Amino acid sequence: MKARGKILTLMILSSSAVTTTAFINKIIKIKATKNNSLDQQKSHFFHWRLGDIYYERVGTGKPVLLIHDLNAASSSYEWNKLIPLLAENYTVYAIDLLGCGHSEKINTTYTNYLYVQLITDFIKSEIGHRTSIIATGESASIPIMACSNEPSIFEQIMLINPLDLSEYCKIPGKRARLYKKIIDFPVIGTLLYHIAVSRDFIESEAKKHIFYNQYCITPEWIDAYYEAAHLGVSPKSIYASQRCNYTKCNINNALKKINHSISLIGGAEIDNITERLEKYKDLNPAIETAFIPETKYLPQLENASALNELIKTYF
């Protein structure tokens, strides 16, 4: 009887802990999304086979597709300072990738191939013309692989601070697969995700790695990224996939065979950025590089006008 009583007590305590954690998760999500920091006034939706894809379309001229960094807190908000400048000369499409921002966030394993299919289908369905692409960070692998598969739908490609080529070669290991399974747990996994994308963590990353000019780290920027990380049904799915290398893809062979114009833009204040981009030129000598002074990971937010001038030069 005593053993049964202890088991019953543990079950009650466990149930209480799960209920409390679920309640905490719900409160975090409500607080993160209550300010509606991500503007939807110019919104369109591409009804893709795996979910609705949010995008903006402004301006006139040759089409340019903007692809934000592949990160749970990223969205097309990344381009909000550049879009008005580009719209003077181009028809600008700024997309929220599946699993990010206002796009649908399904519970699945996100892969590079999934995003290659998304971008290819989006260009064919929503743009309908050969398109130039600008992509940031880990998302740089998406247009490279897409262009390698279907070169006829692409014009120029610009990559902003792409990862080191060795980073794209990483594959999920045993620890990564275990971590993803833990994150996939409904309650405790969600709590771990909320800790990983907390407001304090986002601000800390901005100070250390994203911005050179600390005055760019405004409360509005933090609110937008914090909100993006909590919108939707399963925002943690893209986080788990990206952190565990399911979104990675070796792009070396694709870089070698692409004949399109490719330009790489680096934030000049990133450590070893010159050496990183030179590795791309080793694979494809036709690649051109340029650097924007006094910027780090997101020059489109730190010095949009300088980036706009480079885009006009290369495009």
Side-chain angles (χ1 to χ4, degrees), residues 14-303:
S14 298
S15 176
S16 177
V18 170
T19 303
T20 301
T21 304
F23 178 74
I24 292 171
N25 287 335
K26 186 174 183 179
I27 294 299
I28 291 173
K29 186 179 182 70
I30 291 172
K31 287 186 175 181
T33 58
K34 68 178 182 180
N35 293 328
N36 194 25
S37 300
L38 298 178
D39 185 18
Q40 276 190 289
Q41 292 182 359
K42 302 173 184 176
S43 64
H44 302 268
F45 282 92
F46 167 42
H47 302 296
W48 195 44
R49 57 187 174 84
L50 293 181
D52 289 345
I53 305 301
Y54 169 90
Y55 69 96
E56 297 180 34
R57 181 186 184 276
V58 295
T60 57
K62 293 181 179 180
V64 174
L65 174 59
L66 306 179
I67 305 177
H68 61 78
D69 189 24
L70 194 54
N71 184 296
S74 293
S75 69
S76 54
Y77 180 88
E78 176 183 307
W79 306 103
N80 70 339
K81 291 185 178 180
L82 182 64
I83 288 173
L85 303 178
L86 283 180
E88 295 177 6
N89 299 292
Y90 306 97
T91 302
V92 183
Y93 296 81
I95 192 172
D96 281 359
L97 294 172
L98 187 74
C100 301
H102 283 295
S103 288
E104 203 155 339
K105 299 183 178 182
I106 60 175
N107 183 11
T108 190
T109 298
Y110 293 83
T111 65
N112 177 270
Y113 178 76
L114 179 151
Y115 287 118
V116 166
Q117 290 298 304
L118 167 59
I119 294 304
T120 301
D121 292 345
F122 181 83
I123 292 174
K124 291 179 178 179
S125 174
E126 302 301 298
I127 301 178
H129 299 280
R130 286 173 63 95
T131 301
S132 295
I133 290 191
I134 306 173
T136 301
E138 185 175 334
S139 290
S141 65
I142 300 171
I144 293 299
M145 297 306 295
C147 183
S148 176
N149 290 340
E150 294 203 39
S152 63
I153 65 174
F154 294 92
E155 286 283 352
Q156 293 95 337
I157 297 173
M158 177 176 284
L159 309 178
I160 300 173
N161 292 315
L163 303 184
D164 189 283
L165 285 170
S166 62
E167 288 292 315
Y168 291 116
C169 298
K170 291 183 176 180
I171 61 175
K174 291 182 179 179
R175 289 184 180 180
R177 291 194 290 268
L178 176 60
Y179 182 68
K180 186 178 184 302
K181 288 181 180 180
I182 293 172
I183 295 296
D184 285 340
F185 289 154
V187 178
I188 187 63
T190 302
L191 180 62
L192 291 173
Y193 169 72
H194 285 161
I195 293 171
V197 294
S198 68
R199 186 182 177 87
D200 287 344
F201 178 79
I202 290 172
E203 184 174 0
S204 175
E205 285 294 292
K207 291 177 178 178
K208 292 177 182 177
H209 305 297
I210 298 176
F211 292 105
Y212 173 76
N213 182 355
Q214 299 293 294
Y215 289 105
C216 291
I217 309 171
T218 63
E220 292 77 17
W221 181 88
I222 297 172
D223 285 345
Y225 271 64
Y226 188 50
E227 178 179 310
H230 291 82
L231 290 171
V233 174
S234 185
K236 66 181 181 179
S237 294
I238 179 60
Y239 167 81
S241 299
Q242 188 260 336
R243 283 294 303 273
C244 298
N245 297 323
Y246 287 92
T247 54
K248 300 288 198 308
C249 178
N250 188 332
I251 63 174
N252 290 8
N253 289 333
L255 273 174
K256 291 177 182 178
K257 80 173 189 177
I258 289 177
N259 292 320
H260 293 61
S261 170
I262 301 176
S263 51
L264 308 182
I265 308 300
E269 310 307 324
I270 295 176
D271 293 341
N272 302 317
I273 187 62
T274 302
E275 293 82 353
R276 184 198 304 179
L277 300 192
E278 282 297 319
K279 294 178 183 178
Y280 284 76
K281 296 180 70 173
D282 290 340
L283 293 177
N284 188 333
I287 290 175
E288 299 181 88
T289 60
F291 302 89
I292 301 180
E294 298 184 348
T295 66
K296 281 190 173 182
Y297 195 65
L298 295 177
Q300 56 266 51
L301 287 174
E302 288 202 84
N303 195 340

